[in-house]
Amino acid sequence: MLKLIIRHSMLAGFLIGLASFCYCQNDIKQFGMVLFCGGLFTICRYSLSLYTGMVGYVEPMNAFRLLCVLVINVIASFLTGYFFNYGHINDFAYGIVNNFNTMTYMDVFIKSFGCGVCMFLAVDIWKKYNSVIGIMLFVPIFLSCGFLHSIAIPAFYGICGTIPPMFKLLFVAFGNGVGAILVNKIK
């Protein structure tokens, strides 16, 4: 069981890292959004372990498992961004990283809360209706609004070859969780 969690978490982190890299590489951001949708679709289709797709459904007894998924997702996403962009400069990723570094914690919470809402709705629609419509709507919404995805942010840092500020990144994960859990409780 533990091996499956680790494998599924690594693959999900890799896919978000790859989607983030593709998003940065394209001058036409709408195309990058579609590629990002492809990453989440693959994660949903194969029931991989992605923190932002799981946190809205968390039960207290599964909290440790969710924390393990988060850590593995972050490491895999960072390494994917780092290795795919090794030795290159990506101005778009640098812009995202610089913007994140200067954000206040209130900005981080609001932007990560919004992502949590979008990610929960995308995954919930997939789970309930086996439909990609939620993914195709809510991924572009979170990207267009500049919302913060706790697994994509490490990929952008990896692309830039720098380590993300861990406490701020945990705060993003917290905001993603609050947004997802709140929407799940309200619906």
Side-chain angles (χ1 to χ4, degrees):
M1 179 70 164
L2 184 61
K3 283 172 107 171
L4 188 64
I5 292 169
I6 292 170
R7 254 194 353 243
H8 280 194
S9 300
M10 286 173 52
L11 187 51
F14 167 77
L15 288 168
I16 294 300
L18 182 61
S20 300
F21 177 74
C22 291
Y23 182 64
C24 287
Q25 292 299 107
N26 286 285
D27 292 333
I28 303 169
K29 291 303 164 210
Q30 292 81 0
F31 184 65
M33 289 177 189
V34 170
L35 294 173
F36 208 103
C37 290
L40 183 58
F41 168 75
T42 306
I43 289 165
C44 290
R45 177 65 184 90
Y46 291 103
S47 301
L48 300 177
S49 299
L50 179 66
Y51 170 80
T52 53
M54 297 170 63
V55 67
Y57 305 100
V58 71
E59 299 292 327
M61 62 188 200
N62 294 335
F64 180 73
R65 177 177 178 222
L66 185 65
L67 181 61
C68 291
V69 167
L70 173 64
V71 169
I72 294 167
N73 285 168
V74 165
I75 292 168
S77 176
F78 174 83
L79 291 174
T80 301
Y82 182 80
F83 287 118
F84 274 106
N85 203 60
Y86 183 77
H88 297 93
I89 295 174
N90 187 301
D91 291 333
F92 190 77
Y94 277 105
I96 291 171
V97 165
N98 288 335
N99 185 44
F100 184 70
N101 287 339
T102 61
M103 287 179 135
T104 67
Y105 279 93
M106 181 57 81
D107 291 335
V108 168
F109 180 76
I110 291 168
K111 297 253 183 200
S112 58
F113 179 91
C115 179
V117 169
C118 290
M119 290 299 292
F120 176 81
L121 292 171
V123 170
D124 199 55
I125 290 169
W126 171 264
K127 285 183 174 200
K128 286 197 169 80
Y129 305 107
N130 201 27
S131 172
V132 297
I133 194 73
I135 294 169
M136 296 306 290
L137 288 173
F138 290 107
V139 169
I141 288 172
F142 104 73
L143 290 169
S144 302
C145 293
F147 291 161
L148 300 173
H149 189 281
S150 54
I151 310 307
I153 293 290
F156 298 128
Y157 275 88
I159 291 167
C160 295
T162 59
I163 303 292
M166 288 304 163
F167 185 74
K168 211 173 203 181
L169 187 59
L170 282 174
F171 202 66
V172 173
F174 172 74
N176 289 162
V178 171
I181 291 167
L182 187 62
V183 169
N184 191 15
K185 298 296 181 200
I186 292 173
K187 69 168 184 62

